[in-house]
Amino acid sequence: MNKKIRIYYAQAFCAIGQLCVLMLIFVFSNQAIYAQKKSTERPNIIFILTDDHRYDLLGCTGNELIQTPNLDKLAADGILFTNAHVTSAICTPSRASIFLSQFERKHGVNFNSGTSVSADAWNDSYPVILRKNGYYTGYIGKNHVPIGVGGYKSGVMEASFDYWYAGHGHLMFYPKERHDIFKGALNDTQVEILDEGVTDFLSNEHKLKGAKHFLNSIPKDKPFCMSINFNLPHGASTSTMKMRQTDPETYKTLYRNKEIPLPKYYLEKKSITSPKLPTDVLHANDRQDIYDFVDNKQDLRERIIRNMQAVTGVDVLVGNLRKTLAEQNLDKNTIIIFTSDHGIFWGENGLGGKALCYEVCTRVPMIIYDPNAPKKSRGIKSEQLVQTIDLAPTMLSYAAAPIPKSYQGKPLNDIINGNDIPVREVLFTENLWSTHFGNPRCEAVQNKEWKYIRYYKNENLSAQYLIDTAKKYKVNMTSMLYANHDPQIAIYQSFIEGPVNGEPAVFEELYDLKNDGDEQYNLAKCSAHADKLNEMRTVWNKTIRQARGNDAMNVVRYTMDSEAERAHLVKPE
């Protein structure tokens, strides 16, 4: 081979080598760009939580009187779950269950538990995991879950978010009167103050006075997760509505010219001859007086009007939110999830309050809107048995983030994408808030056709006795009724472990949900349904053990005594 040919081949091989290198660089560069693109294409997530919001208090769930066009549109664009339930029908444990995707029997935090979620357990909450996986996170509104040593005063929760505009405990209708963080807002009413926070979070520059944040805006290379938590239509807020001159017209006149229907099985207090539950199980006379509005028709109608006004206010915020997302070209890649922490009685069978396992308490509206879901799954209603513990794994699935082994909920993404298949055959609900205010401990298991509820001995001291004693000895009433001391930890632990270890039920209920969705006819003592009762007892025995799990509860002591040792005074929230 002559010299010219050798030079030619050498140059050719060199050119081919350079081309291969360029191709490899191109491939790897494209892979990097694709990976970066995929990370920035992860959806934004907005989670909206209302408080004491009954399933039937939306237009899309069948209420023909209430005005909720924006939430109805959200349901029409997404999916409405018609059989969605909480795990515990009272604020703190329900909200902790949403954060941690655990039943209360596993996470171990309630008003009467004497505990706080440990900082370690909090690390597995959905907002912390999303933040660790590249999300810019914001929290707006009400927090009612104590986190870390010192609970509400620990600062753990505030430090867990990139943007914080929230208050611990109830916000009331006029939050500035209770929480300093909101005093820089232009508005005075709760929904409108939270709307300012939402607008500020989504803006190009965070300017809202009082809001805490580490950056001045959402980084353009990060998806975001914003949690909006209302204290409405909860009675702590609706009972403090004053119809002030500066209030939006919604809260002054809307619905006041309408005939307000009462619930189908409403029963005034004076007409109760046979209580729904035995008097030694539910101590109804010890019920908190904040629920006395159910005792007569006039007060109940006034509260229903206020609840509807509040929900319409929330609906306006949802409309503003979707408009802002569209204006900022964020609407095509933002998931919106809407639900409530529990329902509430409006005098059905003479009952008031919550913290029981009836449908009125546990069933909640749940809407999930995914703009990129298949068209076939838009505007559908799913009857699958889902629970609020399913929301955290659903959000993490959207974010392609790892789901902790401690989670007990199931991702709902398949249903959202049009595959309407069961995530569970049975759901479990419970009440462990059993105190001097009269509510019994109870648990329920249900499928789509049958529901079984069991109750335990209610040996709590009477609230009225405590009130009389406080007056007699001039003891602070709030301290007498709401303060937790160390012995309460042991009492609460016995509530959790007793049924698992064989504590007998003192009363049982069995309902044919298919034919008696309002739970009016208890079939537990009907011989014709003895086999079904035994079958559901077996289901309960298995399900409660699954709900409890095998791990110790990851909590820290949080009582008046623990905080006195740390020289801090606990204010009951």
Side-chain angles (χ1 to χ4, degrees):
M1 186 180 296
N2 62 38
K3 185 176 181 180
K4 288 184 178 180
I5 294 175
R6 286 199 301 271
I7 292 173
Y8 172 80
Y9 277 114
Q11 290 174 334
F13 280 120
C14 181
I16 292 170
Q18 289 174 336
L19 181 61
C20 288
V21 169
L22 289 171
M23 289 179 67
L24 286 171
I25 292 172
F26 176 78
V27 169
F28 285 117
S29 296
N30 271 332
Q31 286 180 341
I33 292 170
Y34 177 75
Q36 183 180 17
K37 184 178 180 182
K38 292 303 286 183
S39 69
T40 57
E41 280 185 350
R42 288 186 299 169
N44 305 308
I45 301 170
I46 296 175
F47 175 56
I48 304 171
L49 185 69
T50 50
D51 196 344
D52 276 20
H53 191 163
R54 293 164 55 107
Y55 176 81
D56 59 6
L57 204 55
L58 289 177
C60 60
T61 58
N63 192 310
E64 296 180 357
L65 186 58
I66 196 168
Q67 297 176 25
T68 53
N70 296 296
L71 285 163
D72 297 345
K73 180 68 164 58
L74 191 70
D77 292 341
I79 179 170
L80 171 65
F81 290 91
T82 60
N83 213 347
H85 293 256
V86 300
T87 52
S88 300
I90 190 168
C91 298
T92 290
S94 179
R95 290 170 182 247
S97 291
I98 292 171
F99 278 130
L100 301 173
S101 186
Q102 294 176 3
F103 292 101
E104 180 187 345
R105 198 165 293 269
K106 181 176 175 67
H107 68 62
V109 177
N110 201 326
F111 293 106
N112 61 321
S113 66
T115 57
S116 172
V117 175
S118 73
D120 179 58
W122 179 245
N123 283 332
D124 280 340
S125 65
Y126 80 80
V128 172
I129 291 178
L130 287 174
R131 192 181 188 197
K132 287 179 179 177
N133 283 271
Y135 272 71
Y136 184 80
T137 58
Y139 193 93
I140 297 168
K142 169 188 173 179
N143 171 51
H144 221 159
V145 181
I147 310 293
V149 175
Y152 294 113
K153 294 184 178 180
S154 71
V156 171
M157 196 167 185
E158 291 91 328
S160 300
F161 293 87
D162 297 298
Y163 184 98
W164 174 266
Y165 191 57
H168 299 297
H170 291 302
L171 302 187
M172 306 306 198
F173 195 69
Y174 305 101
K176 293 178 181 179
E177 297 176 2
R178 190 176 176 95
H179 298 280
D180 289 343
I181 194 170
F182 301 120
K183 288 187 175 179
L186 297 176
N187 292 280
D188 296 322
T189 47
Q190 183 185 143
V191 172
E192 287 64 37
I193 287 177
L194 269 55
D195 203 356
E196 289 185 51
V198 170
T199 301
D200 187 59
F201 177 84
L202 293 172
S203 67
N204 293 325
E205 185 178 2
H206 301 326
K207 292 182 177 180
L208 183 57
K209 185 178 179 181
K212 300 176 182 179
H213 44 84
F214 300 104
L215 300 174
N216 289 326
S217 63
I218 302 173
K220 296 188 181 300
D221 61 342
K222 281 189 173 186
F224 65 79
C225 175
M226 174 170 53
S227 299
I228 309 168
N229 297 264
F230 292 94
N231 189 202
L232 285 166
H234 192 290
S237 294
T238 53
S239 67
T240 58
M241 297 170 75
K242 303 295 184 185
M243 288 193 287
R244 294 174 178 170
Q245 187 174 357
T246 55
D247 290 355
E249 197 63 28
T250 295
Y251 309 127
K252 292 187 287 187
T253 60
L254 190 61
Y255 306 118
R256 294 199 172 275
N257 62 341
K258 303 292 184 181
E259 181 66 31
I260 306 299
L262 297 179
K264 183 178 179 181
Y265 293 100
Y266 174 71
L267 192 61
E268 280 190 296
K269 183 177 181 179
K270 65 182 181 181
S271 301
I272 299 173
T273 56
S274 179
K276 174 70 171 172
L277 288 169
T279 55
D280 61 340
V281 172
L282 174 64
H283 302 165
N285 290 334
D286 287 321
R287 186 187 68 202
Q288 289 170 295
D289 59 11
I290 58 174
Y291 302 118
D292 287 352
F293 65 85
V294 304
D295 290 345
N296 65 80
K297 294 178 181 179
Q298 181 178 348
D299 289 345
L300 177 57
R301 283 197 170 97
E302 173 62 28
R303 185 57 59 87
I304 291 174
I305 287 172
R306 294 185 182 201
N307 280 26
M308 291 196 299
Q309 290 173 339
V311 172
T312 295
V314 171
D315 183 80
V316 171
L317 181 146
V318 172
N320 293 341
L321 169 64
R322 295 194 72 182
K323 181 180 178 182
T324 300
L325 292 174
E327 290 172 348
Q328 297 187 15
N329 295 318
L330 296 170
D331 55 319
K332 299 296 191 295
N333 195 36
T334 299
I335 310 296
I336 301 177
I337 300 172
F338 177 90
T339 194
S340 175
D341 60 355
H342 48 75
I344 190 169
F345 274 107
W346 280 352
E348 290 89 347
N349 298 108
L351 294 172
K354 54 238 182 184
L356 290 170
C357 291
Y358 293 121
E359 297 287 289
V360 169
C361 298
T362 68
R363 189 182 179 208
V364 291
M366 183 185 289
I367 302 168
I368 300 181
Y369 166 63
D370 177 359
N372 295 308
K375 289 184 178 180
K376 66 177 182 178
S377 65
R378 305 285 181 86
I380 66 171
K381 295 181 179 180
S382 173
E383 297 180 356
Q384 298 301 340
L385 296 171
V386 301
Q387 295 194 261
T388 48
I389 53 170
D390 299 330
L391 296 177
T394 299
M395 287 187 264
L396 296 187
S397 294
Y398 272 122
I403 297 175
K405 293 180 179 179
S406 61
Y407 278 21
Q408 294 177 300
K410 308 293 183 183
L412 303 178
N413 304 70
D414 283 344
I415 298 178
I416 298 166
N417 286 324
N419 302 313
D420 196 31
I421 54 177
V423 293
R424 59 175 56 80
E425 297 298 329
V426 174
L427 62 77
F428 176 81
T429 58
E430 60 187 332
N431 177 57
L432 293 168
W433 184 73
S434 183
T435 71
H436 43 270
F437 288 119
N439 286 55
R441 289 176 291 141
C442 55
E443 302 122 12
V445 288
Q446 67 188 85
N447 53 36
K448 290 183 178 180
E449 296 186 356
W450 290 92
K451 183 173 187 176
Y452 168 66
I453 312 175
R454 57 191 284 130
Y455 299 84
Y456 302 92
K457 186 178 289 188
N458 188 346
E459 299 178 306
N460 293 300
L461 202 60
S462 167
Q464 190 57 54
Y465 183 80
L466 293 179
I467 291 169
D468 293 343
T469 303
K471 290 177 179 178
K472 181 178 180 179
Y473 293 100
K474 295 181 173 56
V475 177
N476 179 275
M477 193 65 70
T478 299
S479 177
M480 178 66 87
L481 294 177
Y482 294 99
N484 273 331
H485 291 276
D486 285 347
Q488 188 59 45
I489 300 174
I491 294 171
Y492 178 79
Q493 294 292 314
S494 74
F495 288 177
I496 288 177
E497 303 300 345
V500 178
N501 294 327
E503 181 180 4
V506 297
F507 187 71
E508 296 173 297
E509 291 176 303
L510 179 69
Y511 292 105
D512 178 359
L513 294 178
K514 194 172 183 180
N515 298 300
D516 179 26
D518 295 311
E519 299 167 310
Q520 295 300 303
Y521 305 102
N522 180 13
L523 303 176
K525 293 184 179 180
C526 179
S527 59
H529 297 287
D531 289 344
K532 178 59 66 174
L533 178 63
N534 287 326
E535 176 190 327
M536 295 302 285
R537 285 171 176 162
T538 301
V539 172
W540 163 83
N541 188 52
K542 176 182 178 181
T543 308
I544 191 175
R545 296 172 192 280
Q546 292 173 340
R548 174 63 188 92
N550 299 316
D551 300 327
M553 283 172 285
N554 201 347
V555 296
V556 293
R557 175 176 166 235
Y558 182 48
T559 62
M560 295 291 289
D561 308 300
S562 69
E563 300 315 289
E565 291 172 9
R566 295 181 340 102
H568 290 292
L569 180 65
V570 176
K571 179 182 177 183
E573 298 289 352

